[in-house]
Amino acid sequence: GFAAWRENIVFFTPRRKGAKQEKRGEGLSGILCGVRHLRGLEIQGRRGNPYYPTSLSSRLFSVSLCLCGEPSSMRLILGIGGGIAAYKSAELARLLMQQGHEVQAVMTRAAEEFVRPLTFAALTGRKVLTDLFAIESAIEHISVAQENDILAIAPATADLIAKMAHGLADDFLTTLYLAFTGPVVIAPAMNVNMWQHPATQANLETLRRRGHRIVEPDSGYLACGMTGPGRLSDPETIAAAIQSEMPRRHDLDGEFV
């Protein structure tokens, strides 16, 4: 009686609205959380509680979430290139913010001709970085690169792709790219002939060899009146690609037993 009651209290305290829940995936607490989930599910299963899954796969999944953690919210840079598809980047910024990420928008001068920086400032709650020489610090592109976890560029024009492939840095975004050492996601958008040109495909292959994730453009009717590949992928698809590139938190990384 008392032992069973104590086990139930220790491992499955009833959840109340607003009650503080044990945080998963933080070192020793993650291990304890996993053990408690496994033991607790066993106890509840024996008592016939229908609200807790008792299959082996369900129990192991619960433990894995505790030990490995879910993809965490990240600080990311959203680079916006100049093109009619730039308006989709506003929707992408909104989706990323809804997922709990901190988004720093960086726009090229050409991008400002299609969407005003104020749009992204309102969506992200941050100042939009545009001009390499109109900033508070001469090395701001370095600090921004170091402070963020992932770099996503959408839309990436043929010009941006060529500059990144060949290491050209003549604005804030391309300079930032060279200083950034984390995962990079690139979502191209351009005219179908520009997309299919051997130079563009060679540049993309160079970026792939560097380990960058390329989100292939969709096919369809383009703003130029032509039909074919080159339309920026849907914001949901790009957001999913960014999410997949975000590292999971492993709080025991670097520890030795």
Side-chain angles (χ1 to χ4, degrees):
F2 176 80
W5 174 84
R6 181 177 58 82
E7 285 182 331
N8 194 37
I9 293 298
V10 170
F11 295 112
F12 273 97
T13 303
R15 295 186 178 183
R16 300 184 302 276
K17 184 177 181 181
K20 184 178 180 181
Q21 300 297 322
E22 184 172 40
K23 192 173 183 180
R24 296 180 178 182
E26 294 205 352
L28 182 59
S29 67
I31 298 176
L32 295 176
C33 174
V35 173
R36 288 175 182 175
H37 268 274
L38 192 61
R39 177 61 173 157
L41 290 173
E42 181 182 351
I43 294 170
Q44 294 295 335
R46 287 202 306 264
R47 296 177 182 176
N49 191 323
Y51 296 103
Y52 294 94
T54 56
S55 67
L56 179 60
S57 60
S58 298
R59 290 159 62 187
L60 291 177
F61 178 72
S62 296
V63 173
S64 68
L65 285 181
C66 290
L67 297 179
C68 301
E70 299 176 357
S72 305
S73 61
M74 294 287 173
R75 304 179 69 177
L76 63 93
I77 304 161
L78 177 59
I80 302 105
I84 188 62
Y87 78 93
K88 285 187 177 181
S89 298
E91 175 64 14
L92 175 59
R94 186 188 67 82
L95 286 174
L96 294 171
M97 291 293 293
Q98 283 185 337
Q99 292 174 357
H101 306 305
E102 297 180 25
V103 180
Q104 173 63 69
V106 179
M107 302 179 70
T108 65
R109 184 169 298 178
E112 295 182 68
E113 298 296 324
F114 294 92
V115 182
R116 303 304 299 167
L118 182 61
T119 299
F120 292 96
L123 289 170
T124 64
R126 292 173 174 267
K127 174 186 174 182
V128 178
L129 302 175
T130 55
D131 193 340
L132 185 61
F133 300 103
I135 54 181
E136 298 176 357
S137 169
I139 58 171
E140 189 169 2
H141 59 287
I142 304 296
S143 61
V144 172
Q146 293 175 339
E147 292 169 357
N148 287 274
D149 304 299
I150 190 167
L151 169 62
I153 301 177
T157 61
D159 177 65
L160 266 177
I161 291 171
K163 287 179 178 178
M164 290 188 291
H166 294 280
L168 301 179
D170 61 356
D171 61 7
F172 196 99
L173 181 55
T174 51
T175 305
L176 168 68
Y177 166 74
L178 290 184
F180 188 75
T181 59
V184 178
V185 176
I186 300 171
M190 63 195 73
N191 165 268
V192 58
N193 291 341
M194 297 174 70
W195 170 254
Q196 294 175 342
H197 196 282
T200 300
Q201 293 302 313
N203 290 333
L204 287 167
E205 186 58 32
T206 296
L207 297 176
R208 288 191 185 97
R209 287 198 300 268
R210 290 180 194 162
H212 299 345
R213 172 77 173 271
I214 308 297
V215 183
E216 298 287 326
D218 293 336
S219 289
Y221 183 78
L222 305 176
C224 61
M226 300 179 68
T227 301
R231 187 170 63 184
L232 183 67
S233 186
D234 290 335
E236 292 81 2
T237 303
I238 301 173
I242 294 172
Q243 189 75 21
S244 69
E245 291 297 311
M246 290 182 175
R248 291 179 180 269
R249 254 185 211 168
H250 297 278
D251 294 304
L252 296 182
D253 282 356
E255 300 295 334
F256 297 91
V257 178

